[in-house]
Amino acid sequence: MLVLTRKLGESIRIGDNIVVKVVDLDNRHVKLGIDAPKNIAVNREEIYERIQKENKAASEAQDSKLKDIANALRQSKE
């Protein structure tokens, strides 16, 4: 992991299109401003993990339903 030190108002650039700027600091928190293209998802880590978990659960449920349909079709042919 790359670790950078920035002061209030300073930025880092990721590639050509993403800028992360330190917009506020206090004793325990840093507030970041992120300028990124609309097609780049920007989420807090806990939100990203929740999205991934929900996507996995939805995928597994869909797989289960497809297996049920496939089994029903197989049984109808027998």
Side-chain angles (χ1 to χ4, degrees):
M1 173 187 293
L2 173 66
V3 178
L4 301 171
T5 301
R6 301 278 62 200
K7 295 177 181 173
L8 182 64
E10 293 182 336
S11 302
I12 63 168
R13 183 171 288 272
I14 301 171
D16 292 333
N17 300 329
I18 301 172
V19 177
V20 180
K21 183 175 182 178
V22 178
V23 295
D24 195 15
L25 295 169
D26 67 21
N27 290 337
R28 296 185 57 222
H29 300 95
V30 60
K31 188 179 287 185
L32 303 172
I34 300 167
D35 185 14
K38 297 232 182 259
N39 64 332
I40 301 292
V42 178
N43 295 299
R44 287 176 273 150
E45 180 68 21
E46 63 273 19
I47 300 298
Y48 176 80
E49 289 174 1
R50 186 180 339 151
I51 291 168
Q52 294 300 310
K53 187 176 180 180
E54 290 174 359
N55 285 344
K56 183 178 178 186
S59 174
E60 290 173 354
Q62 188 173 11
D63 286 347
S64 176
K65 289 178 183 176
L66 288 174
K67 287 177 184 175
D68 291 345
I69 292 170
N71 286 337
L73 289 172
R74 282 188 200 110
Q75 289 176 354
S76 69
K77 289 182 179 180
E78 294 176 353

